[in-house]
Amino acid sequence: MKRTIYTFGDSQTLSYEAHFNSKIPWAQHYFHYLNYTPKTFSEILRDKLNYNLMTYARGGCSNYTIFDNFLQIHERIQPYDIIIFGWTALN
């Protein structure tokens, strides 16, 4: 069974592709400037380790929501899976 990387966080944890697909103006401009969609740290880690990637990040989340998202799916996490929390600022 393939291992999984789980990411939880706010918009800083989302992939550039997710931002681009949401038609967010800065992401559109950035894509057209680079002419490709760059990978985030979790996508690079996924590729290097040959893991699956499950992202539970959402823009505008508080730390409480980030942790709540984790609690909703924590039973799916298996030994040797990787969990990454992208905590947001407290203010």
Side-chain angles (χ1 to χ4, degrees), residues 28-71:
Q28 300 288 312
H29 294 300
Y30 194 53
F31 171 79
H32 293 300
Y33 173 75
L34 294 176
N35 207 24
Y36 69 94
T37 305
K39 292 183 180 181
T40 58
F41 69 94
S42 56
E43 293 168 322
I44 293 168
L45 190 60
R46 171 201 63 199
D47 295 346
K48 294 284 186 192
L49 298 176
N50 194 28
Y51 275 41
N52 293 318
L53 176 61
M54 300 296 296
T55 302
Y56 293 92
R58 291 186 295 192
C61 284
S62 68
N63 286 330
Y64 296 108
T65 303
I66 292 167
F67 189 63
D68 189 50
N69 291 340
F70 165 74
L71 292 177

